[in-house]
Amino acid sequence: MRIKTSMPLTLAEKIVDGALAAGRAESMHPLTVVVLNAGGHVVASKSEDGSGILRFDVARGKAWGALGMGVSSRLIRDRLSKRPVFQNALAAASDGRFVPVPGGVLVLDDDGDTIGAVGISGDSSEKDEYCAINGARAAGLATEPAEPDPDWRGTSLSDIDEDN
């Protein structure tokens, strides 16, 4: 039997390593990176030394929410910020795997089709998203969103709540 893989391990590893390299180049806090295939299954993950034990679950939740809703976790946050009841319903429907803050991006192939998602947790959500986008770019792939928040450098962990 032959099965077409949406996110081969070698590609997922390039995304993870590219994202971590982007974080180190910007002297970010320790990061955890999770790459999911189109079916929502973990293909690759790495946590840097010093990354908190909840970071995997947060990173996976960012990627899983983006994949489940078909848009980046930043767009989910923006669209649902005034709809807390719907956010709570999505969290319940996903058994708590839904994290609606930036840092989860869709990964697109050359045809623009979604082949998976990457989620990152460890620094501010905007910096996490920056690394996710750059990780996909390092693997030669596109993302949704195509560009990070223009003010990602100006964010810090002290500017946000603990949901990062």
Side-chain angles (χ1 to χ4, degrees):
M1 172 172 74
R2 290 175 30 117
I3 298 174
K4 184 174 181 180
T5 303
S6 67
M7 178 67 70
L9 177 60
T10 55
L11 199 56
E13 290 174 328
K14 288 178 184 177
I15 294 170
V16 170
D17 292 341
L20 293 175
R24 289 308 93 223
E26 295 293 336
S27 301
M28 292 185 191
H29 291 281
L31 302 174
T32 294
V33 183
V34 176
V35 177
L36 306 178
N37 65 17
H41 301 284
V42 176
V43 178
S45 174
K46 284 187 182 178
S47 292
E48 293 182 304
D49 294 346
S51 188
I53 63 171
L54 282 175
R55 294 297 182 182
F56 173 84
D57 295 315
V58 173
R60 182 182 61 192
K62 290 178 180 185
W64 202 85
L67 196 57
M69 295 299 290
V71 295
S72 71
S73 58
R74 176 177 16 137
L75 189 55
I76 292 169
R77 179 208 56 196
D78 294 348
R79 286 183 178 171
L80 299 182
S81 64
K82 296 187 193 274
R83 299 176 65 195
V85 173
F86 188 57
Q87 275 192 42
N88 291 338
L90 289 173
S94 69
D95 293 325
R97 292 179 286 183
F98 174 75
V99 180
V101 295
V105 303
L106 298 176
V107 179
L108 313 175
D109 67 11
D110 292 340
D111 295 324
D113 295 325
T114 299
I115 60 170
V118 57
I120 299 182
S121 181
D123 209 299
S124 73
S125 294
E126 291 78 12
K127 289 179 180 178
D128 293 345
E129 180 189 71
Y130 167 83
C131 292
I133 291 169
N134 279 281
R137 286 179 180 166
L141 298 165
T143 58
E144 189 291 308
E147 297 295 330
D149 183 309
D151 297 321
W152 68 267
R153 270 199 174 96
T155 63
S156 73
L157 288 177
S158 62
D159 294 338
I160 59 172
D161 61 26
E162 58 277 347
D163 288 337
N164 182 39

